[in-house]
Amino acid sequence: MPAGGGGTTAAMTGRLPRARGTLSAALLAALRRPDDLDPLLGVPADDDEDEQLALWVLHALHYRGFDGVDDALEWSPPLLALRRRLEAALELRLRERFPGHRPEGDVGEALFEYVAAFEGPALSPYVQSRADEEQVLELLRHRSLYHLQEFDPTAWVIPRLPTRPKAALLELAFDEYGVGDPNRLHSHLFARGMASAGLDPAPGAYVDDAPLEILEQNNAMTLLGLHRRLRGAVVGHLAAFEATSSLPSRRIAVGLERLGFDDALVDYYAEHVVADAVHDQLACRGICGALVAEEPELLEDVFLGAFTCLDLEARYAGRMLDRWEPAREVSA
Ligand SMILES: [Fe+2]
Ligand SMILES: [Fe+2]
């Protein structure tokens, strides 16, 4: 498939996914025929996947919505109540996993140290030297849930920040959104890369392929973004994300070139090698450091966000590596 030229990605709305259990089935049915949404609140989820898919669908109403689903349902009280039930459970789980961290001294420096000290499985070394084409395509399908709306979950935080961190966040966001050029939006670069690899860049095209860990990653970002009280965690998550992007992006670009993928796809990762070498400084010092200087009570939430980013990525990497190379040694 050709890489495509200018313009934006085609469809604005997404396709509804397939249900994964009782709750997601009831929700999807209700979105198609929303005559009585109240009973949804009492429907239990079968398991984590069913629950996280339902939350992902509810969150999607706040982004692009779905083909054939009434836009007004974004603010339906019963759906908002269900969203809060599922978000409360997810937030509790994220907080239980976080061991806590309240460093003294420079926040930016402490964030760099925290990220460097984190230990967990990583996918980029595998992609660089060992992944085959099918494995890379699977990775792209999973990553597409986020990369096709890159930075959007973080953008919710903009009006919730004081002056200095807001200015720094907007400097970073301007890059993510293409510096005024629709062809350079990171989400659009990824869409072009997907098309060049023969994948469908339509929003939500591969939600059915996403494992639990990918749904959790995306849901966590939107959960943080949609709640003003969690603004510290939003910027902490961003800092960890940016600080773990440049080198892995280089490794992935090398792996894609090794496998003969099109330049349009390599371009997306090459862009992040350069951009995120600057974004990590901006995020850790200019955004997180500046926010905690003005609102010191947010310090621990900044690290909750950073931990959540690192932990959820490690969980995803662990799942994929367990499948791709089951004989590997399990890291700590
Ligand atoms: Fe980006
Ligand atoms: Fe970035």
Side-chain angles (χ1 to χ4, degrees):
M1 199 179 290
T8 53
T9 46
M12 276 308 292
T13 52
R15 298 169 205 155
L16 284 170
R18 275 202 307 271
R20 298 197 196 184
T22 309
L23 177 59
S24 51
L27 173 61
L28 292 166
L31 290 179
R32 292 188 183 99
R33 298 170 58 97
D35 33 7
D36 181 16
L37 297 170
D38 288 323
L40 267 180
L41 253 185
V43 179
D46 293 346
D47 53 25
D48 288 347
E49 244 182 87
D50 187 28
E51 184 172 270
Q52 292 309 308
L53 179 65
L55 183 53
W56 184 89
V57 168
L58 290 166
H59 280 162
L61 297 174
H62 296 284
Y63 293 106
R64 304 182 197 232
F66 295 104
D67 306 334
V69 171
D70 185 353
D71 286 344
L73 290 177
E74 178 185 0
W75 296 107
S76 149
L79 292 184
L80 291 175
L82 177 60
R83 195 191 102 197
R84 283 306 299 135
R85 187 191 104 192
L86 302 180
E87 284 183 341
L90 176 59
E91 184 178 346
L92 184 65
R93 190 151 70 243
L94 299 179
R95 288 189 180 278
E96 282 173 353
R97 290 171 180 170
F98 175 49
H101 195 59
R102 293 184 57 82
E104 309 262 317
D106 185 87
V107 172
E109 206 53 46
L111 272 165
F112 279 115
E113 284 168 15
Y114 191 68
V115 169
F118 184 87
E119 288 184 16
L123 287 174
S124 62
Y126 183 81
V127 172
Q128 177 176 359
S129 54
R130 298 201 296 287
D132 64 28
E133 187 181 335
E134 274 312 304
Q135 291 168 338
V136 168
L137 290 172
E138 184 177 21
L139 184 66
L140 296 173
R141 290 196 296 272
H142 294 168
R143 295 289 197 208
S144 69
L145 269 69
Y146 176 65
H147 289 328
L148 290 175
Q149 57 177 22
E150 194 153 315
F151 205 78
D152 290 352
T154 310
W156 301 114
V157 85
I158 293 171
R160 297 161 180 177
L161 294 176
T163 305
R164 282 174 55 229
K166 181 187 280 180
L169 187 102
L170 264 292
E171 186 182 343
L172 195 159
F174 196 48
D175 280 351
E176 301 288 344
Y177 289 132
V179 198
D181 179 353
N183 283 309
R184 300 305 299 172
L185 254 81
H186 290 184
S187 57
H188 184 63
L189 292 177
F190 192 78
R192 282 200 314 206
M194 284 184 81
S196 78
L199 296 172
D200 182 353
Y206 297 110
V207 180
D208 293 336
D209 294 10
L212 171 67
E213 291 79 2
I214 287 287
L215 294 173
E216 267 198 347
Q217 274 184 339
N218 283 273
N219 291 347
M221 279 188 271
T222 303
L223 158 69
L224 301 181
L226 287 176
H227 294 270
R228 186 174 61 83
R229 69 186 165 81
L230 296 172
R231 61 198 178 281
V234 175
V235 299
H237 187 289
L238 175 67
F241 193 96
E242 299 291 344
T244 52
S245 172
S246 184
L247 177 60
S249 293
R250 184 189 303 280
R251 288 181 172 140
I252 291 172
V254 170
L256 294 173
E257 283 173 336
R258 172 178 64 79
L259 291 164
F261 278 94
D262 193 278
D263 284 350
L265 185 60
V266 177
D267 196 29
Y268 169 85
Y269 289 94
E271 170 79 18
H272 286 82
V273 175
V274 180
D276 291 342
V278 179
H279 288 177
D280 61 357
Q281 294 290 336
L282 202 49
C284 291
R285 301 184 201 282
I287 302 171
C288 293
L291 179 61
V292 174
E294 297 201 38
E295 302 187 73
E297 72 279 8
L298 296 180
L299 175 66
E300 186 138 31
D301 271 4
V302 167
F303 284 89
L304 166 68
F307 175 82
T308 295
C309 176
L310 301 168
D311 177 59
L312 292 180
E313 175 57 21
R315 287 169 190 272
Y316 172 61
R319 167 188 280 257
M320 300 313 289
L321 293 175
D322 281 348
R323 252 207 18 242
W324 288 344
E325 47 171 18
R328 82 191 168 98
E329 276 184 34
V330 177
S331 57

